[in-house]
Amino acid sequence: MDADIKLEDATSNTPEMGGGLPVVQYWAEHTLSPEGPKLWQTLLHKSACLSCAWGTGGQKGGFANELGETMQRCAKSVEAISAELQPAVSTHFFERHSIAELQQLTSLEADRLGRLSFPVILREGKSHYERISWDEIYEISEAGFRKSPERVASYSSGRSSNEAAYLLQLMMRSLGSNHLADCSDLCHVPSTVGLKQMFGSGTSMVSLDSLKKADCVVLIGSNAPANHPRLMNELIELRDRGGKIIVVNPVVEVGLVKFASPAFPLKSLFTGSEISSLYLQPIPGSDVALFIGIQKALIERNLIQTDYLCAHAEGWEAVVDYAGSISWEAIAQTCGVSQQELEVAAEIIAASKGVVFAWAMGATQQENGVDNIYAIANTALLTGNAGKEGGGTMPIRGHSNVQGFGSMGVTVQLKKESQEALEKLLGRSLNRNPGYRARDLIDAADAGNVDTLICLGGNLYAANPDLNQAKRALGKIDTIIYLATKPNLGHFHGLAQKNTIIIPVFNRFENPHQTTTESGNNFVRLNDVGNTHLKDADLISEVEFLTQLAHRILGSDPVDWRKLQDTKYVRQLIAKTIPGFEQMATIDETKEEFTIAGRIFKEPKFATPSSKANMFVTPLPKLHLPEAKEFGVPESTPSIVLALMTGRSYSQHNTVVYKPGDKYRGMPHRNCILMNPLDAKQAGWQEHQQVTVQGDAGKLENVEIIFGGVRQGAAMMFYPEVNVIFKARIDKQSGIPAFKRVPVVVYA
Ligand SMILES: Nc1nc2c(c(=O)[nH]1)N[C@H]1C(S)=C(S)[C@@H](COP(=O)(O)OP(=O)(O)OC[C@H]3O[C@@H](n4cnc5c(=O)[nH]c(N)nc54)[C@H](O)[C@@H]3O)O[C@H]1N2
Ligand SMILES: Nc1nc2c(c(=O)[nH]1)N[C@H]1C(S)=C(S)[C@@H](COP(=O)(O)OP(=O)(O)OC[C@H]3O[C@@H](n4cnc5c(=O)[nH]c(N)nc54)[C@H](O)[C@@H]3O)O[C@H]1N2
Ligand code: SF4
Ligand SMILES: [Mo]
């Protein structure tokens, strides 16, 4: 930790540990409330948790992980379920409230309107959404998708099922479009791109049972206590068996220092468990430099595994040479972490038997996101920690089925095997033009190149940087079809030029069909059918809508879309066309959930043509912040330029806010900026003072300063609100926007 930051000062507003009694209290409040019985029923339903990709629940029961260990449901799961169990938006709501009024709602207010329970349309020139018949929905949608394939697109978010995802891509590819933008384009796309290059497989190579054998975890850019709470159980157990945890994060997240998990009530609920053994606080966006430093320390101490590298890796000599050629001064200056600390990290890693390198958005949402993945995985390889029991690379995935979407072919980089299998199925070659990723889609729409867009869940508008651009871009699309469970900001701001349709769908635990999902650990879950609490609701399943639409546009040859309304047949197609999913063919009979073949590497034999890992040199990033005057702030105004990290508060799920504040960071509401006390004091400001925070696309005013354990020169704010102030700066290798290093100027 930086010598100049005292954790006590920075975190005087926060609880002394993550998790703890507030979590139990939250459970009790909800499960004992009037919604309690339905909540319990849903928690016990045999389906995967809606919230994160850790993937609790399924056939082994609502509380079990894939190894059958129970007590694995967290409060975030309850939060997600309870939002879905809200009553319906009232029948006359949209007649009574104009778009202008709806646009005044905050994310939380939009979500609190309740569940969508009937389809609506906003027609060109009209001020209100109105109810629409299914016939007209299909007419408009069909006309929309009969446009040129290059001008139709989809966006999706990883809460829907594998079956819906598969059908979406099959419909789009049958139409001749590759424009399958997905939330992963804003999330783990650098992990997918980077890991595929290196290991031939774009997902985690570590299974849960292998993680349980690790004696060291390097946790990079993850706020797991809030976003993947059950991963904390694994970290607690690792510390209990004498293992070490190195945290890499510019912010001291209190739950990564100490965490009290309700899964270990006697042991830890009151005292908490120590999590980090070493806490490194780099400058935002500098992780490549930090890992080059660790590599350099390993090389200088002769701690790299040369025999392993010779046998199992290509390109390692260049990586070693590069780390050797960069000076310690340049490394320490770029990442803001001292040589000494990096040497300690290197020694811990080298002394451990099995090291898992795990990361989330702090590593991926950067202008050099793919280089971050390379640098992390290079470090794993240099120490022989890829392809072994208890070691490896582990991206911590986001949405509960986001990884399944990628596997199902909702990606602009379709696997060769799948492409060939789909071509065989469709009896013709697929479009080879690269499709739009999420950011390309916004830019293409802004340039007037998109006529029709279907959004399978999500909130494309609010998930993007530069909300004014996103709004303008979506406004140039003729027809937008949103399939959603609950209203969100996108439905009120992301409006098409002619027709915006919102179609209410069943969620995972209500679905009339069996569905499957895939966790971040490559484990496929089978979700039982369910029913909805909504009375007289006119909901549709995603599978039914997609197959009906595809049938209208494409007929029944070569694909009999209507037959695919029975999802068993979709699973049979998946088994035939998606490598590693062969077991899908029998899952309906066996009910056996399974680990996808060819992804978990317990031996250093990878999925590349040579079976060796490919290593790539990662250039030291040149991090530069503009001066205040470049933002147009005069020198006479006291100001400070900071690297702003944007992310999630404790009680939100992506663009959907459940509760305003974040008690674990001491931030009482959403219009706060978490700052280092020294930065604020140097600018002459007090805690709780209000400031303006300005980026290159706009500003937010009356932002309250909160002192926190964030390193000097950096700050943190919450999305989606903050997305109005900055433009996208993109990683050229993966197309992801740099949400975690936004240059801003702050002034009073
Ligand atoms: N409850 C809940 N669970 C969720 C979600 C949710 O919104 N709510 N969202 C889901 C989704 S889609 C995702 S992608 C995941 C997100 O899970 P996370 O990635 O854990 O979430 P973020 O809030 O984006 O921030 C991650 C961390 O990155 C750190 N960070 C910022 N910049 C840097 C940097 O330059 N370097 C390093 N090393 N660290 C940095 C931040 O301080 C923060 O602690 O969670 C999933 N689970
Ligand atoms: N500044 C900043 N911006 C970011 C990020 C950041 O860290 N900082 N993170 C990025 C990341 S990692 C992600 S993943 C994106 C998230 O982007 P998205 O995935 O696009 O957004 P969500 O907020 O998760 O979408 C929520 C909506 O999904 C709908 N929904 C929920 N369940 C279902 C279902 O079963 N079916 C259907 N059809 N709809 C459903 C509901 O209507 C709900 O309102 O945001 C990105 N944007
Ligand atoms: S860790 Fe993730 S998958 Fe498991 S219960 Fe919590 S939110 Fe659900
Ligand atoms: Mo995400």
Side-chain angles (χ1 to χ4, degrees), residues 155 157 159 183 186-187 365 399 457-459 463 483-486 488 542 646 648 654-655 719 723 739-740:
Y155 172 76
S157 160
R159 259 218 197 163
C183 69
L186 308 169
C187 183
Q365 293 174 333
H399 268 297
N459 184 352
L483 281 78
T485 58
K486 301 172 297 160
N488 63 45
E542 294 164 326
T646 69
R648 296 151 176 81
N654 297 339
T655 70
Y719 101 99
N723 287 9
F739 290 123
K740 293 293 189 273

PDB file of all heavy atoms in Angstrom, residues 155 157 159 183 186-187 365 399 457-459 463 483-486 488 542 646 648 654-655 719 723 739-740, ligand 2:
ATOM      1  N   TYR A 155     -28.059  -6.431 -30.352  1.00  0.00           N
ATOM      2  CA  TYR A 155     -27.257  -6.237 -29.144  1.00  0.00           C
ATOM      3  C   TYR A 155     -27.841  -7.180 -28.109  1.00  0.00           C
ATOM      4  O   TYR A 155     -29.061  -7.409 -28.106  1.00  0.00           O
ATOM      5  CB  TYR A 155     -27.340  -4.784 -28.658  1.00  0.00           C
ATOM      6  CG  TYR A 155     -26.685  -4.578 -27.290  1.00  0.00           C
ATOM      7  CD1 TYR A 155     -25.301  -4.531 -27.162  1.00  0.00           C
ATOM      8  CD2 TYR A 155     -27.458  -4.437 -26.133  1.00  0.00           C
ATOM      9  CE1 TYR A 155     -24.697  -4.364 -25.922  1.00  0.00           C
ATOM     10  CE2 TYR A 155     -26.860  -4.272 -24.889  1.00  0.00           C
ATOM     11  CZ  TYR A 155     -25.480  -4.228 -24.788  1.00  0.00           C
ATOM     12  OH  TYR A 155     -24.890  -4.063 -23.555  1.00  0.00           O
ATOM     13  N   SER A 157     -27.447  -8.926 -23.897  1.00  0.00           N
ATOM     14  CA  SER A 157     -26.874  -8.826 -22.566  1.00  0.00           C
ATOM     15  C   SER A 157     -26.989 -10.210 -21.938  1.00  0.00           C
ATOM     16  O   SER A 157     -27.960 -10.924 -22.173  1.00  0.00           O
ATOM     17  CB  SER A 157     -27.658  -7.771 -21.803  1.00  0.00           C
ATOM     18  OG  SER A 157     -27.487  -7.912 -20.428  1.00  0.00           O
ATOM     19  N   ARG A 159     -28.024 -12.103 -19.669  1.00  0.00           N
ATOM     20  CA  ARG A 159     -28.933 -12.731 -18.709  1.00  0.00           C
ATOM     21  C   ARG A 159     -29.839 -13.752 -19.358  1.00  0.00           C
ATOM     22  O   ARG A 159     -30.462 -14.563 -18.689  1.00  0.00           O
ATOM     23  CB  ARG A 159     -29.802 -11.667 -18.046  1.00  0.00           C
ATOM     24  CG  ARG A 159     -29.290 -11.356 -16.699  1.00  0.00           C
ATOM     25  CD  ARG A 159     -30.411 -11.116 -15.718  1.00  0.00           C
ATOM     26  NE  ARG A 159     -29.836 -10.448 -14.580  1.00  0.00           N
ATOM     27  CZ  ARG A 159     -30.520  -9.803 -13.669  1.00  0.00           C
ATOM     28  NH1 ARG A 159     -31.826  -9.687 -13.785  1.00  0.00           N
ATOM     29  NH2 ARG A 159     -29.911  -9.255 -12.667  1.00  0.00           N
ATOM     30  N   CYS A 183     -22.968  -7.265 -24.686  1.00  0.00           N
ATOM     31  CA  CYS A 183     -22.435  -6.556 -23.518  1.00  0.00           C
ATOM     32  C   CYS A 183     -20.992  -6.945 -23.237  1.00  0.00           C
ATOM     33  O   CYS A 183     -20.243  -6.165 -22.653  1.00  0.00           O
ATOM     34  CB  CYS A 183     -23.328  -6.772 -22.300  1.00  0.00           C
ATOM     35  SG  CYS A 183     -23.277  -8.454 -21.689  1.00  0.00           S
ATOM     36  N   LEU A 186     -18.209  -4.640 -23.871  1.00  0.00           N
ATOM     37  CA  LEU A 186     -17.940  -3.551 -22.923  1.00  0.00           C
ATOM     38  C   LEU A 186     -17.362  -4.114 -21.633  1.00  0.00           C
ATOM     39  O   LEU A 186     -17.267  -3.419 -20.628  1.00  0.00           O
ATOM     40  CB  LEU A 186     -19.246  -2.796 -22.618  1.00  0.00           C
ATOM     41  CG  LEU A 186     -20.031  -2.312 -23.843  1.00  0.00           C
ATOM     42  CD1 LEU A 186     -21.416  -1.824 -23.443  1.00  0.00           C
ATOM     43  CD2 LEU A 186     -19.266  -1.186 -24.555  1.00  0.00           C
ATOM     44  N   CYS A 187     -16.987  -5.378 -21.653  1.00  0.00           N
ATOM     45  CA  CYS A 187     -16.758  -6.093 -20.396  1.00  0.00           C
ATOM     46  C   CYS A 187     -15.477  -6.945 -20.456  1.00  0.00           C
ATOM     47  O   CYS A 187     -14.406  -6.456 -20.124  1.00  0.00           O
ATOM     48  CB  CYS A 187     -18.003  -6.928 -20.136  1.00  0.00           C
ATOM     49  SG  CYS A 187     -18.045  -7.837 -18.621  1.00  0.00           S
ATOM     50  N   GLN A 365     -11.133  -3.016 -18.801  1.00  0.00           N
ATOM     51  CA  GLN A 365     -11.710  -1.771 -19.347  1.00  0.00           C
ATOM     52  C   GLN A 365     -10.638  -0.688 -19.435  1.00  0.00           C
ATOM     53  O   GLN A 365     -10.667   0.322 -18.716  1.00  0.00           O
ATOM     54  CB  GLN A 365     -12.889  -1.322 -18.484  1.00  0.00           C
ATOM     55  CG  GLN A 365     -14.058  -2.300 -18.571  1.00  0.00           C
ATOM     56  CD  GLN A 365     -15.187  -1.957 -17.623  1.00  0.00           C
ATOM     57  OE1 GLN A 365     -14.978  -1.340 -16.583  1.00  0.00           O
ATOM     58  NE2 GLN A 365     -16.403  -2.357 -17.962  1.00  0.00           N
ATOM     59  N   HIS A 399     -21.978 -10.901 -16.260  1.00  0.00           N
ATOM     60  CA  HIS A 399     -23.363 -11.355 -16.267  1.00  0.00           C
ATOM     61  C   HIS A 399     -23.431 -12.872 -16.126  1.00  0.00           C
ATOM     62  O   HIS A 399     -22.566 -13.598 -16.625  1.00  0.00           O
ATOM     63  CB  HIS A 399     -23.989 -11.028 -17.621  1.00  0.00           C
ATOM     64  CG  HIS A 399     -24.683  -9.718 -17.681  1.00  0.00           C
ATOM     65  ND1 HIS A 399     -25.774  -9.428 -16.916  1.00  0.00           N
ATOM     66  CD2 HIS A 399     -24.467  -8.625 -18.450  1.00  0.00           C
ATOM     67  CE1 HIS A 399     -26.206  -8.210 -17.215  1.00  0.00           C
ATOM     68  NE2 HIS A 399     -25.422  -7.694 -18.136  1.00  0.00           N
ATOM     69  N   GLY A 457     -32.383  -8.034 -24.179  1.00  0.00           N
ATOM     70  CA  GLY A 457     -31.998  -7.617 -22.829  1.00  0.00           C
ATOM     71  C   GLY A 457     -31.032  -6.457 -22.844  1.00  0.00           C
ATOM     72  O   GLY A 457     -30.710  -5.887 -23.883  1.00  0.00           O
ATOM     73  N   GLY A 458     -30.565  -6.101 -21.649  1.00  0.00           N
ATOM     74  CA  GLY A 458     -29.538  -5.076 -21.516  1.00  0.00           C
ATOM     75  C   GLY A 458     -30.056  -3.666 -21.632  1.00  0.00           C
ATOM     76  O   GLY A 458     -31.266  -3.410 -21.667  1.00  0.00           O
ATOM     77  N   ASN A 459     -29.092  -2.777 -21.692  1.00  0.00           N
ATOM     78  CA  ASN A 459     -29.377  -1.346 -21.738  1.00  0.00           C
ATOM     79  C   ASN A 459     -28.253  -0.703 -22.532  1.00  0.00           C
ATOM     80  O   ASN A 459     -27.319  -0.138 -21.964  1.00  0.00           O
ATOM     81  CB  ASN A 459     -29.427  -0.822 -20.292  1.00  0.00           C
ATOM     82  CG  ASN A 459     -29.802   0.642 -20.223  1.00  0.00           C
ATOM     83  OD1 ASN A 459     -29.887   1.335 -21.235  1.00  0.00           O
ATOM     84  ND2 ASN A 459     -30.009   1.117 -19.007  1.00  0.00           N
ATOM     85  N   ALA A 463     -25.156   1.756 -21.020  1.00  0.00           N
ATOM     86  CA  ALA A 463     -23.905   1.029 -20.801  1.00  0.00           C
ATOM     87  C   ALA A 463     -22.740   1.686 -21.539  1.00  0.00           C
ATOM     88  O   ALA A 463     -21.587   1.354 -21.305  1.00  0.00           O
ATOM     89  CB  ALA A 463     -24.057  -0.421 -21.256  1.00  0.00           C
ATOM     90  N   LEU A 483     -36.283  -6.425 -25.973  1.00  0.00           N
ATOM     91  CA  LEU A 483     -36.875  -7.501 -25.169  1.00  0.00           C
ATOM     92  C   LEU A 483     -36.342  -7.312 -23.763  1.00  0.00           C
ATOM     93  O   LEU A 483     -35.120  -7.257 -23.570  1.00  0.00           O
ATOM     94  CB  LEU A 483     -36.469  -8.882 -25.696  1.00  0.00           C
ATOM     95  CG  LEU A 483     -37.227  -9.377 -26.926  1.00  0.00           C
ATOM     96  CD1 LEU A 483     -36.702  -8.719 -28.181  1.00  0.00           C
ATOM     97  CD2 LEU A 483     -37.116 -10.882 -27.060  1.00  0.00           C
ATOM     98  N   ALA A 484     -37.245  -7.198 -22.794  1.00  0.00           N
ATOM     99  CA  ALA A 484     -36.774  -6.835 -21.455  1.00  0.00           C
ATOM    100  C   ALA A 484     -37.731  -7.363 -20.399  1.00  0.00           C
ATOM    101  O   ALA A 484     -38.905  -7.632 -20.671  1.00  0.00           O
ATOM    102  CB  ALA A 484     -36.665  -5.320 -21.341  1.00  0.00           C
ATOM    103  N   THR A 485     -37.212  -7.480 -19.189  1.00  0.00           N
ATOM    104  CA  THR A 485     -38.088  -7.852 -18.076  1.00  0.00           C
ATOM    105  C   THR A 485     -38.571  -6.628 -17.319  1.00  0.00           C
ATOM    106  O   THR A 485     -39.677  -6.615 -16.800  1.00  0.00           O
ATOM    107  CB  THR A 485     -37.362  -8.797 -17.090  1.00  0.00           C
ATOM    108  OG1 THR A 485     -36.193  -8.132 -16.617  1.00  0.00           O
ATOM    109  CG2 THR A 485     -36.975 -10.113 -17.754  1.00  0.00           C
ATOM    110  N   LYS A 486     -37.710  -5.609 -17.235  1.00  0.00           N
ATOM    111  CA  LYS A 486     -38.044  -4.418 -16.453  1.00  0.00           C
ATOM    112  C   LYS A 486     -37.650  -3.174 -17.232  1.00  0.00           C
ATOM    113  O   LYS A 486     -36.706  -3.206 -18.017  1.00  0.00           O
ATOM    114  CB  LYS A 486     -37.269  -4.430 -15.127  1.00  0.00           C
ATOM    115  CG  LYS A 486     -37.535  -5.639 -14.264  1.00  0.00           C
ATOM    116  CD  LYS A 486     -36.595  -5.673 -13.073  1.00  0.00           C
ATOM    117  CE  LYS A 486     -35.160  -5.792 -13.497  1.00  0.00           C
ATOM    118  NZ  LYS A 486     -34.198  -5.391 -12.505  1.00  0.00           N
ATOM    119  N   ASN A 488     -35.917   0.272 -18.171  1.00  0.00           N
ATOM    120  CA  ASN A 488     -34.649   0.913 -17.790  1.00  0.00           C
ATOM    121  C   ASN A 488     -34.441   2.180 -18.600  1.00  0.00           C
ATOM    122  O   ASN A 488     -35.224   2.482 -19.514  1.00  0.00           O
ATOM    123  CB  ASN A 488     -33.483  -0.073 -17.908  1.00  0.00           C
ATOM    124  CG  ASN A 488     -33.243  -0.554 -19.326  1.00  0.00           C
ATOM    125  OD1 ASN A 488     -33.240   0.245 -20.273  1.00  0.00           O
ATOM    126  ND2 ASN A 488     -33.038  -1.860 -19.493  1.00  0.00           N
ATOM    127  N   GLU A 542     -38.347 -15.451 -24.772  1.00  0.00           N
ATOM    128  CA  GLU A 542     -37.417 -14.966 -25.806  1.00  0.00           C
ATOM    129  C   GLU A 542     -37.335 -15.964 -26.946  1.00  0.00           C
ATOM    130  O   GLU A 542     -37.290 -15.595 -28.118  1.00  0.00           O
ATOM    131  CB  GLU A 542     -36.042 -14.755 -25.172  1.00  0.00           C
ATOM    132  CG  GLU A 542     -36.071 -13.627 -24.152  1.00  0.00           C
ATOM    133  CD  GLU A 542     -34.878 -13.623 -23.227  1.00  0.00           C
ATOM    134  OE1 GLU A 542     -34.362 -14.709 -22.889  1.00  0.00           O
ATOM    135  OE2 GLU A 542     -34.463 -12.528 -22.839  1.00  0.00           O
ATOM    136  N   THR A 646     -14.505   4.398 -13.333  1.00  0.00           N
ATOM    137  CA  THR A 646     -15.965   4.371 -13.238  1.00  0.00           C
ATOM    138  C   THR A 646     -16.406   2.927 -13.099  1.00  0.00           C
ATOM    139  O   THR A 646     -15.887   2.043 -13.772  1.00  0.00           O
ATOM    140  CB  THR A 646     -16.607   4.979 -14.497  1.00  0.00           C
ATOM    141  OG1 THR A 646     -16.372   4.108 -15.605  1.00  0.00           O
ATOM    142  CG2 THR A 646     -16.048   6.356 -14.806  1.00  0.00           C
ATOM    143  N   ARG A 648     -19.148   0.110 -10.437  1.00  0.00           N
ATOM    144  CA  ARG A 648     -20.398  -0.201  -9.754  1.00  0.00           C
ATOM    145  C   ARG A 648     -20.369   0.173  -8.294  1.00  0.00           C
ATOM    146  O   ARG A 648     -19.365  -0.038  -7.629  1.00  0.00           O
ATOM    147  CB  ARG A 648     -20.624  -1.720  -9.838  1.00  0.00           C
ATOM    148  CG  ARG A 648     -20.802  -2.172 -11.234  1.00  0.00           C
ATOM    149  CD  ARG A 648     -20.326  -3.594 -11.437  1.00  0.00           C
ATOM    150  NE  ARG A 648     -20.652  -3.955 -12.816  1.00  0.00           N
ATOM    151  CZ  ARG A 648     -19.909  -3.600 -13.855  1.00  0.00           C
ATOM    152  NH1 ARG A 648     -18.788  -2.944 -13.686  1.00  0.00           N
ATOM    153  NH2 ARG A 648     -20.286  -3.908 -15.074  1.00  0.00           N
ATOM    154  N   ASN A 654     -25.095  -3.421 -12.827  1.00  0.00           N
ATOM    155  CA  ASN A 654     -24.781  -2.708 -14.068  1.00  0.00           C
ATOM    156  C   ASN A 654     -25.547  -1.402 -14.140  1.00  0.00           C
ATOM    157  O   ASN A 654     -25.450  -0.595 -13.232  1.00  0.00           O
ATOM    158  CB  ASN A 654     -25.008  -3.623 -15.270  1.00  0.00           C
ATOM    159  CG  ASN A 654     -24.071  -4.818 -15.214  1.00  0.00           C
ATOM    160  OD1 ASN A 654     -23.052  -4.762 -14.548  1.00  0.00           O
ATOM    161  ND2 ASN A 654     -24.417  -5.878 -15.889  1.00  0.00           N
ATOM    162  N   THR A 655     -26.344  -1.194 -15.184  1.00  0.00           N
ATOM    163  CA  THR A 655     -26.986   0.117 -15.325  1.00  0.00           C
ATOM    164  C   THR A 655     -28.205   0.253 -14.409  1.00  0.00           C
ATOM    165  O   THR A 655     -28.844   1.294 -14.400  1.00  0.00           O
ATOM    166  CB  THR A 655     -27.450   0.356 -16.776  1.00  0.00           C
ATOM    167  OG1 THR A 655     -28.551  -0.520 -17.063  1.00  0.00           O
ATOM    168  CG2 THR A 655     -26.331   0.101 -17.781  1.00  0.00           C
ATOM    169  N   TYR A 719     -21.162   4.505 -12.521  1.00  0.00           N
ATOM    170  CA  TYR A 719     -21.901   4.502 -13.771  1.00  0.00           C
ATOM    171  C   TYR A 719     -23.309   4.035 -13.446  1.00  0.00           C
ATOM    172  O   TYR A 719     -23.510   3.444 -12.404  1.00  0.00           O
ATOM    173  CB  TYR A 719     -21.139   3.645 -14.787  1.00  0.00           C
ATOM    174  CG  TYR A 719     -21.561   2.233 -15.088  1.00  0.00           C
ATOM    175  CD1 TYR A 719     -22.334   1.988 -16.226  1.00  0.00           C
ATOM    176  CD2 TYR A 719     -21.195   1.137 -14.305  1.00  0.00           C
ATOM    177  CE1 TYR A 719     -22.685   0.700 -16.568  1.00  0.00           C
ATOM    178  CE2 TYR A 719     -21.558  -0.159 -14.660  1.00  0.00           C
ATOM    179  CZ  TYR A 719     -22.310  -0.361 -15.775  1.00  0.00           C
ATOM    180  OH  TYR A 719     -22.665  -1.630 -16.150  1.00  0.00           O
ATOM    181  N   ASN A 723     -21.484   8.275 -17.166  1.00  0.00           N
ATOM    182  CA  ASN A 723     -21.214   8.036 -18.589  1.00  0.00           C
ATOM    183  C   ASN A 723     -21.563   9.221 -19.476  1.00  0.00           C
ATOM    184  O   ASN A 723     -21.248   9.227 -20.662  1.00  0.00           O
ATOM    185  CB  ASN A 723     -21.948   6.783 -19.085  1.00  0.00           C
ATOM    186  CG  ASN A 723     -21.309   5.506 -18.568  1.00  0.00           C
ATOM    187  OD1 ASN A 723     -20.436   5.564 -17.709  1.00  0.00           O
ATOM    188  ND2 ASN A 723     -21.730   4.369 -19.064  1.00  0.00           N
ATOM    189  N   PHE A 739     -13.190   2.470 -19.577  1.00  0.00           N
ATOM    190  CA  PHE A 739     -14.037   2.972 -18.480  1.00  0.00           C
ATOM    191  C   PHE A 739     -13.260   3.184 -17.190  1.00  0.00           C
ATOM    192  O   PHE A 739     -13.734   3.839 -16.286  1.00  0.00           O
ATOM    193  CB  PHE A 739     -15.138   1.952 -18.172  1.00  0.00           C
ATOM    194  CG  PHE A 739     -16.199   1.814 -19.226  1.00  0.00           C
ATOM    195  CD1 PHE A 739     -16.448   0.573 -19.805  1.00  0.00           C
ATOM    196  CD2 PHE A 739     -16.985   2.892 -19.603  1.00  0.00           C
ATOM    197  CE1 PHE A 739     -17.452   0.418 -20.749  1.00  0.00           C
ATOM    198  CE2 PHE A 739     -17.993   2.737 -20.546  1.00  0.00           C
ATOM    199  CZ  PHE A 739     -18.231   1.499 -21.127  1.00  0.00           C
ATOM    200  N   LYS A 740     -12.088   2.576 -17.082  1.00  0.00           N
ATOM    201  CA  LYS A 740     -11.381   2.628 -15.808  1.00  0.00           C
ATOM    202  C   LYS A 740     -10.239   3.642 -15.807  1.00  0.00           C
ATOM    203  O   LYS A 740      -9.463   3.673 -14.849  1.00  0.00           O
ATOM    204  CB  LYS A 740     -10.832   1.233 -15.452  1.00  0.00           C
ATOM    205  CG  LYS A 740     -11.921   0.198 -15.162  1.00  0.00           C
ATOM    206  CD  LYS A 740     -12.700   0.496 -13.893  1.00  0.00           C
ATOM    207  CE  LYS A 740     -13.637  -0.634 -13.484  1.00  0.00           C
ATOM    208  NZ  LYS A 740     -14.975  -0.538 -14.128  1.00  0.00           N
TER     209      LYS A 740
HETATM  210  N1  LIG B   2     -18.757   3.703 -17.095  1.00  0.00           N
HETATM  211  C1  LIG B   2     -18.913   2.392 -17.137  1.00  0.00           C
HETATM  212  N2  LIG B   2     -19.752   1.855 -18.061  1.00  0.00           N
HETATM  213  C2  LIG B   2     -19.893   0.507 -18.121  1.00  0.00           C
HETATM  214  C3  LIG B   2     -19.195  -0.337 -17.227  1.00  0.00           C
HETATM  215  C4  LIG B   2     -18.344   0.257 -16.251  1.00  0.00           C
HETATM  216  O1  LIG B   2     -17.711  -0.438 -15.437  1.00  0.00           O
HETATM  217  N3  LIG B   2     -18.223   1.620 -16.256  1.00  0.00           N
HETATM  218  N4  LIG B   2     -19.365  -1.701 -17.324  1.00  0.00           N
HETATM  219  C5  LIG B   2     -19.763  -2.267 -18.607  1.00  0.00           C
HETATM  220  C6  LIG B   2     -20.146  -3.684 -18.452  1.00  0.00           C
HETATM  221  S1  LIG B   2     -18.984  -4.710 -17.727  1.00  0.00           S
HETATM  222  C7  LIG B   2     -21.324  -4.182 -18.867  1.00  0.00           C
HETATM  223  S2  LIG B   2     -21.573  -5.882 -18.813  1.00  0.00           S
HETATM  224  C8  LIG B   2     -22.359  -3.307 -19.412  1.00  0.00           C
HETATM  225  C9  LIG B   2     -23.781  -3.758 -18.984  1.00  0.00           C
HETATM  226  O2  LIG B   2     -24.627  -3.515 -19.988  1.00  0.00           O
HETATM  227  P1  LIG B   2     -26.025  -4.279 -20.229  1.00  0.00           P
HETATM  228  O3  LIG B   2     -25.853  -5.720 -20.038  1.00  0.00           O
HETATM  229  O4  LIG B   2     -26.486  -3.785 -21.538  1.00  0.00           O
HETATM  230  O5  LIG B   2     -26.957  -3.644 -19.107  1.00  0.00           O
HETATM  231  P2  LIG B   2     -27.722  -4.159 -17.852  1.00  0.00           P
HETATM  232  O6  LIG B   2     -27.824  -2.974 -16.957  1.00  0.00           O
HETATM  233  O7  LIG B   2     -27.092  -5.366 -17.268  1.00  0.00           O
HETATM  234  O8  LIG B   2     -29.179  -4.534 -18.414  1.00  0.00           O
HETATM  235  C10 LIG B   2     -30.248  -4.547 -17.533  1.00  0.00           C
HETATM  236  C11 LIG B   2     -31.568  -4.813 -18.195  1.00  0.00           C
HETATM  237  O9  LIG B   2     -31.630  -6.133 -18.689  1.00  0.00           O
HETATM  238  C12 LIG B   2     -32.983  -6.539 -18.743  1.00  0.00           C
HETATM  239  N5  LIG B   2     -33.090  -7.960 -18.362  1.00  0.00           N
HETATM  240  C13 LIG B   2     -32.829  -8.535 -17.177  1.00  0.00           C
HETATM  241  N6  LIG B   2     -33.047  -9.868 -17.240  1.00  0.00           N
HETATM  242  C14 LIG B   2     -33.448 -10.145 -18.494  1.00  0.00           C
HETATM  243  C15 LIG B   2     -33.801 -11.333 -19.201  1.00  0.00           C
HETATM  244  O10 LIG B   2     -33.784 -12.448 -18.670  1.00  0.00           O
HETATM  245  N7  LIG B   2     -34.136 -11.194 -20.509  1.00  0.00           N
HETATM  246  C16 LIG B   2     -34.170  -9.987 -21.132  1.00  0.00           C
HETATM  247  N8  LIG B   2     -34.496  -9.936 -22.426  1.00  0.00           N
HETATM  248  N9  LIG B   2     -33.869  -8.858 -20.488  1.00  0.00           N
HETATM  249  C17 LIG B   2     -33.491  -8.936 -19.208  1.00  0.00           C
HETATM  250  C18 LIG B   2     -33.750  -5.691 -17.768  1.00  0.00           C
HETATM  251  O11 LIG B   2     -34.761  -5.027 -18.503  1.00  0.00           O
HETATM  252  C19 LIG B   2     -32.717  -4.728 -17.217  1.00  0.00           C
HETATM  253  O12 LIG B   2     -33.210  -3.403 -17.134  1.00  0.00           O
HETATM  254  O13 LIG B   2     -22.145  -1.948 -18.974  1.00  0.00           O
HETATM  255  C20 LIG B   2     -20.855  -1.468 -19.325  1.00  0.00           C
HETATM  256  N10 LIG B   2     -20.746  -0.029 -19.066  1.00  0.00           N
END
